[in-house]
Amino acid sequence: MTDAVIEVADPINITEAAVLKVKQLVEEEDNSELMLRVFVTGGGCAGFQYGFTFDDDIADDDSLISKEGVRFVIDSLSVQYLGGSTVDYTEGLDGSRFIIQNPAATTTCGCGSSFAI
């Protein structure tokens, strides 16, 4: 980890379900360095889309959030779109996935993976 990494007080909320799922996936990969990277990219049917990936590298301008020993990382560009959001994990008839509830989103698509501000 570099000295420039910004540890933040929680720009996003993370549910217990999301923490437990990340913990399980990290254990399955047998790599304690893995973190869930939460990000926003252009595209999707509403303008922006959410993304999730596992990463074991932290960039100088990333924000790092630790919760119950599980780490989440957000790049500096995405954090401005995600502030106040909640990351959750859900399992249901439509499958299992990480989701984001974003109070700043003015519109979302039907699947919930893209949004507009």
Side-chain angles (χ1 to χ4, degrees), residues 5-111:
V5 172
I6 304 166
E7 288 221 34
V8 292
D10 287 346
I12 62 173
N13 303 303
I14 302 167
T15 67
E16 184 69 20
V19 169
L20 291 173
K21 187 61 178 181
V22 172
K23 184 179 280 190
Q24 174 193 353
L25 293 170
V26 167
E27 287 172 357
E28 286 175 8
E29 290 296 317
D30 196 27
N31 181 353
S32 62
E33 297 299 311
L34 288 178
M35 302 161 279
L36 184 66
R37 181 173 290 279
V38 181
F39 60 93
V40 172
T41 60
C45 50
F48 294 102
Q49 61 187 28
Y50 302 114
F52 304 92
T53 188
F54 278 98
D55 202 340
D56 59 3
D57 191 33
I58 301 175
D60 288 343
D61 61 347
D62 282 343
S63 296
L64 178 65
I65 301 165
S66 294
K67 189 165 183 178
E68 298 179 35
V70 177
R71 297 179 301 160
F72 297 79
V73 65
I74 306 169
D75 65 85
S76 62
L77 221 70
S78 297
V79 77
Q80 64 186 326
Y81 297 107
L82 294 171
S85 295
T86 298
V87 176
D88 196 7
Y89 179 77
T90 183
E91 294 180 355
L93 294 175
D94 57 348
S96 58
R97 62 191 170 133
F98 289 99
I99 60 171
I100 294 183
Q101 298 154 351
N102 188 341
T106 57
T107 59
T108 60
C109 68
C111 66

